Amino acid sequence: MVRVITQDTYDEVVKENIDEFDMSPEEAIKEAIDQFEAQGVDLTNIIKDLALGSGDKHLVLTTVEKLKELCSNNKNDTLIMNELEILKAECSKDIAHRVMAGKAGAYNTLIDLLDEKLKMYKHVESEENKQFIVKILNCLVALMEVQPDLLDKKGVDLIDSCLDLQNDEIIIPTLKWINECCTKHEINRQNLFATNIGKKLKILLGKNNVQQRKFSNFNVSR
């Protein structure tokens, strides 16, 4: 039977190897991994490096916490954009980073932020608002890779809203998000296509086929 441990348990063992056994960080990590694997522990969802942020917390965790704080209090778009970039990079590393971000509440924070920025974009279709939405969507794509369970009704509604915008720069990451939500997740597929999303996707595919035919004809005529 496969055993699991918490991230805190793993981190404590690594630190213990460093502090009590005078190991280098590399040696401490290798020893901890060997020890847990010998005990049949599954380390798939465990961040194994020591790239910690402030207060001995992993960077992905401190980033989510900072993002929550900025979205709740500061509302400084530049700072929020910076944290989104860091979160995307962290989530792109592996499933362990994505799981930690998800458990820390990254999904709800991103969804609330996307909801807010979509409303702003519908009111004022500025380049700044558009780029903000694209960055949030790309972050959601990174976060939800191989963990589509995060999707909820609000997420489905926001996907629907994004497809309404008729803006390719927004639609492309939205389609990537849909793909992550539906991969190996039948319930998400059913929930998404129970709305008008299925019809909108067919329309988008139809337009894309028309554009491809026009481009092909143009090349031939040239």
Side-chain angles (χ1 to χ4, degrees), residues 17 45 48 175 180 193 201:
N17 288 342
N45 293 338
K48 301 173 185 66
L175 293 176
E180 294 300 340
F193 286 90
L201 289 175

Side-chain angles (χ1 to χ4, degrees), residues 37-76:
E37 288 183 344
Q39 297 171 9
V41 175
D42 182 5
L43 298 176
T44 302
N45 293 338
I46 298 297
I47 297 176
K48 301 173 185 66
D49 58 49
L50 281 179
L52 301 179
S54 59
D56 283 342
K57 293 182 179 179
H58 287 275
L59 179 58
V60 64
L61 184 57
T62 59
T63 302
V64 174
E65 291 174 349
K66 192 177 295 184
L67 194 56
K68 285 181 179 179
E69 182 180 353
L70 288 170
C71 291
S72 299
N73 304 318
N74 193 294
K75 298 295 183 183
N76 185 309

Side-chain angles (χ1 to χ4, degrees), residues 89-181:
E90 286 295 295
C91 288
S92 297
K93 289 181 177 179
D94 56 35
I95 183 61
H97 286 78
R98 294 191 288 276
V99 167
M100 179 174 283
K103 288 181 177 178
Y107 175 80
N108 288 335
T109 300
L110 292 173
I111 287 295
D112 289 343
L113 186 59
L114 178 60
D115 188 20
E116 176 186 332
K117 293 302 177 181
L118 279 173
K119 290 175 182 176
M120 292 176 63
Y121 183 77
K122 289 177 181 178
H123 182 66
V124 180
E125 293 188 5
S126 67
E127 180 68 18
E128 181 181 354
N129 286 336
K130 180 186 69 177
Q131 291 304 324
F132 213 124
I133 291 170
V134 170
K135 192 170 285 288
I136 298 169
L137 289 170
N138 285 330
C139 206
L140 280 164
V141 172
L143 172 67
M144 294 184 66
E145 182 182 350
V146 199
Q147 55 171 359
D149 286 340
L150 293 174
L151 185 69
D152 59 6
K153 185 181 184 304
K154 188 171 183 179
V156 173
D157 291 340
L158 290 176
I159 287 174
D160 195 27
S161 296
C162 287
L163 293 177
D164 280 336
L165 296 179
Q166 300 297 311
N167 184 295
D168 287 349
E169 289 185 61
I170 292 175
I171 287 175
I172 289 172
T174 301
L175 293 176
K176 292 179 180 178
W177 183 19
I178 293 173
N179 181 62
E180 294 300 340
C181 292

Side-chain angles (χ1 to χ4, degrees), residues 3-57:
R3 299 173 57 193
V4 295
I5 58 170
T6 65
Q7 184 69 51
D8 287 342
T9 298
Y10 173 85
D11 290 342
E12 286 172 6
V13 170
V14 173
K15 291 175 184 176
E16 182 180 281
N17 288 342
I18 294 173
D19 296 338
E20 296 189 14
F21 300 103
D22 199 27
M23 294 183 183
S24 68
E26 293 77 13
E27 291 172 333
I29 291 170
K30 184 179 184 305
E31 177 64 25
I33 292 174
D34 290 345
Q35 176 184 339
F36 284 122
E37 288 183 344
Q39 297 171 9
V41 175
D42 182 5
L43 298 176
T44 302
N45 293 338
I46 298 297
I47 297 176
K48 301 173 185 66
D49 58 49
L50 281 179
L52 301 179
S54 59
D56 283 342
K57 293 182 179 179

